[in-house]
Amino acid sequence: MDLQDCYRLLGLRSGASFADVKASYRRLVQQYHPDINPDDLKAKDKFIAVNEAYKFLQMILSPEEIKPQSHDLKTHVSGFSEVKTQVTTANIKVTSHPANLQDIEQRLKWKTYEQLQRFLQARRFPQAIALAEALLARLPADVEVRQWLAIAYQIWGQALITEKQFPKARIYLKKALKTDPDNKALWSEVQQDFQRLGV
């Protein structure tokens, strides 16, 4: 479920305020609540989907302090040694927020970053990649987001090498290079990964 899906499920346009999200959520959970629709499976599914959409939007839109302007990806994945090693050797640092991002986009960016770290730590690579791809689609000019996606591609490629899924690993390593072609450290790391593949 992406951001657009969440708004759609709540019957709202993209970018609606948190107050609008909350009001729509309350109306819809009353309408589709299982106690009101005890034998309606579609209503139950809708009730679950509305709850999930609200939780996601609440995480992104609820008022809070925006993250500091500088982050280091490696410090957030220290529990996962393969990721830590990769990010440390690539030495990819996150710089500062572009000044032209609106507050909601900044919150979205850093909430997504935190979720990306959790997915990588849990080795949920397809979810991590889907999340980073969606964020890059939302913020196509953001260099940091492009780096995060490239790293996610490479980390999954490395995991696929370990699992001996070489053709699939090659695809994701190439995607890493294509996503962040100017990152020399990444190129060096991916070349080593290709050597492991025998390319």
Side-chain angles (χ1 to χ4, degrees), residues 17-176:
S17 71
F18 185 64
D20 291 338
V21 168
K22 196 171 186 178
S24 182
Y25 165 74
R26 287 182 175 168
R27 180 180 51 79
L28 290 171
V29 293
Q30 287 177 349
Q31 180 180 346
Y32 294 108
H33 198 283
D35 291 346
I36 296 171
N37 307 285
D39 299 322
D40 188 345
L41 292 178
K42 287 184 179 180
K44 181 181 177 184
D45 290 343
K46 182 76 172 181
F47 178 80
I48 292 169
V50 165
N51 272 296
E52 290 299 314
Y54 177 70
K55 285 178 190 173
F56 183 76
L57 289 172
Q58 184 179 32
M59 179 178 72
I60 293 169
L61 301 177
S62 59
E64 63 175 26
E65 288 295 313
I66 295 181
K67 298 290 173 199
Q69 298 238 341
S70 179
H71 290 272
D72 184 348
L73 191 60
K74 67 185 178 188
T75 60
H76 292 278
V77 292
S78 57
F80 180 30
S81 61
E82 183 179 345
V83 176
K84 181 181 177 187
T85 301
Q86 171 56 37
V87 176
T88 301
T89 52
N91 197 24
I92 297 171
K93 299 251 181 186
V94 179
T95 56
S96 62
H97 294 287
N100 62 347
L101 285 180
Q102 296 176 352
D103 288 349
I104 188 170
E105 290 175 328
Q106 290 180 8
R107 282 196 297 271
L108 170 65
K109 178 179 174 180
W110 294 108
K111 286 289 187 182
T112 304
Y113 174 79
E114 291 171 355
Q115 184 62 50
L116 177 63
Q117 297 308 312
R118 287 192 287 272
F119 282 152
L120 291 174
Q121 288 172 352
R123 299 180 62 89
R124 294 173 61 187
F125 303 123
Q127 291 90 341
I129 286 171
L131 188 65
E133 285 175 341
L135 186 61
L136 186 60
R138 171 82 184 227
L139 305 171
D142 194 301
V143 175
E144 291 171 341
V145 175
R146 187 169 300 282
Q147 287 178 348
W148 301 344
L149 178 57
I151 290 170
Y153 282 145
Q154 186 197 10
I155 291 169
W156 196 14
Q158 290 177 330
L160 291 166
I161 292 171
T162 303
E163 295 169 8
K164 302 198 182 318
Q165 295 185 38
F166 302 127
K168 196 171 179 182
R170 188 174 291 111
I171 290 168
Y172 282 95
L173 292 173
K174 286 180 179 179
K175 281 186 172 193

